[in-house]
Each structure stands twice: as C-alpha cells, then as structure tokens.
Amino acid sequence: MKLSFSNPNALWALLIFLPLLALPFLGRQRNLSLRRGLGLGVRLCIGLGLILSLAGAQLVRPVDDLTVVFVLDLSDSVPAAEQERAEGFIRQAVAAMPQGGQAAVVVFGEDALVERLASEEKELPPVASVPRSGRTDVAAAVRLGLAMFPEETQKRLVLLSDGLENVGDALAQADLALARNVEIAVVPLSAPPTEQEAFLANLEVPAGV
C-alpha cells in the first residue's frame, strides 16, 4: 500500500503552513502548555487535512486479481481450422485461470460482439456469437475489449488474429491500452501457405503505354 497524489503541486502549500505553526513560540510565553499544545495539534491536523485533500491524496493498494479479455478474430481471412484452434486455446486458458481471476471473450470480424462478460466461471461453452465476417476491424474489437475491464484488477487483453485489418486503426487502440495500463498479448493466427489470398481493392494504369 502506498500514498499517491493526483495534484502533487498542492503540497507546496506545506512550505507556508508549517512555518505558521511556529508563531505561537515567538511571543513572550514560550512554554507550551497542555491547552496550547492541544490547540496546536488540532490546527496541524486541520491544515494537513486541507492540504492533502487539495493534493488529492489517496492510498493505493496493490491488486493481485487478474482479468483477461480474449479477442477472437472470426473474419473470413482466418481459416476455420485456425478459428477452432484459437477457441480451444481460449478454453484451456480460461480453465487454468487462478483463483479470483476473471475472463471475458469478444469475437469480431467487421463488427465486434461480446461473447462473454468478465466472469470467474472456468467453463467456456462453444462460441455462439456470429459477427459479420467480410472485413476485419481489429480496432473496434480492441476498443470493446478495453471497455469490459473491471476497475480494481490487473488487466490483460489477448488478441487472437491474423492481423490483416482492413478497417480502423488498431495501433491507436494499442496506445490507448498502454495509457490505461492494459497489457496486450497476441496469439497469431495464420492460414497454411496454400490458402494465402490477396484482395485487390483498386487498379490504376496509365491511359497510354
């Protein structure tokens, strides 16, 4: 457990407040009576309380519980065999979660759908959600996954995808995850060499050669 401040600049007020406490000792009566000592202690507590409040003091307790959001690519570019392998990977990982750990599942293609909210349940039934699979929007899936984390846990997002996005900007979402202290792990999915494909979106040639 440690003490942190959301506005540490307010602590500079201590440089003014603490010398003020010495004023009662500068007069003729320098002996500190019990009454004056109690009054000084009360003023000290009130002043420190106000300054710490302005500084946004808060006790931060370390959290051991882990929440993992699995983000599964079900777009057409991922072969069925790889999708099955990824689903099996998720099922094994959920079954092996430590006590207190939670797991959630997001599936995506052109859109992203919540398959399972964060839960301590160790069993994962077959994936039932069916996203539109014609395109791959990794960014939307990661964005949805980031929104599913509980606040007071460690956070990890596991992306199972071939990475062939053709909608959105996944790198921007990765930067957002970093800012939120979310760890990102990637399980690559890929087709066998004979099944690799290319999509031609546009072809431009000169009018004359």
Side-chain angles (χ1 to χ4, degrees):
M1 185 176 295
K2 63 180 181 179
L3 185 66
S4 67
F5 303 93
S6 60
N7 182 27
N9 290 330
L11 295 175
W12 288 106
L14 290 172
L15 297 178
I16 302 175
F17 172 70
L18 293 178
L20 292 178
L21 296 178
L23 292 179
F25 302 97
L26 300 179
R28 296 178 179 178
Q29 298 180 356
R30 298 185 180 182
N31 296 328
L32 185 63
S33 65
L34 177 61
R35 182 176 180 181
R36 293 179 65 190
L38 290 176
L40 182 63
V42 171
R43 289 194 293 271
L44 176 63
C45 292
I46 294 175
L48 285 177
L50 289 173
I51 294 174
L52 292 177
S53 176
L54 292 173
Q58 52 188 350
L59 287 175
V60 179
R61 184 180 63 183
V63 176
D64 296 326
D65 294 336
L66 173 67
T67 299
V68 181
V69 176
F70 296 93
V71 181
L72 175 59
D73 188 347
L74 297 182
S75 62
D76 290 340
S77 62
V78 180
E82 284 290 273
Q83 293 180 10
E84 292 177 4
R85 181 177 71 86
E87 188 174 338
F89 174 91
I90 296 174
R91 186 169 288 106
Q92 293 179 4
V94 169
M97 289 285 291
Q99 185 68 27
Q102 300 183 72
V105 180
V106 171
V107 297
F108 74 98
E110 185 175 347
D111 54 348
L113 304 174
V114 176
E115 172 67 19
R116 162 177 154 156
L117 294 173
S119 170
E120 296 185 20
E121 179 63 40
K122 300 293 186 181
E123 295 184 2
L124 180 68
V127 173
S129 301
V130 182
R132 296 192 300 271
S133 58
R135 308 183 78 178
T136 303
D137 191 347
V138 178
V142 172
R143 183 165 55 249
L144 178 58
L146 293 177
M148 297 176 62
F149 284 108
E151 285 298 327
E152 297 182 355
T153 65
Q154 296 185 29
K155 304 172 179 63
R156 179 181 301 158
L157 188 145
V158 179
L159 174 64
L160 300 97
S161 174
D162 58 6
L164 300 178
E165 66 172 349
N166 46 29
V167 180
D169 184 2
L171 290 179
Q173 297 303 314
D175 292 339
L176 179 60
L178 180 63
R180 295 183 179 180
N181 295 320
V182 178
E183 175 188 354
I184 293 184
V186 177
V187 178
L189 306 179
S190 59
T194 56
E195 297 185 18
Q196 297 291 345
E197 61 180 26
F199 175 74
L200 182 63
N202 190 29
L203 177 63
E204 295 183 5
V205 297
V209 178

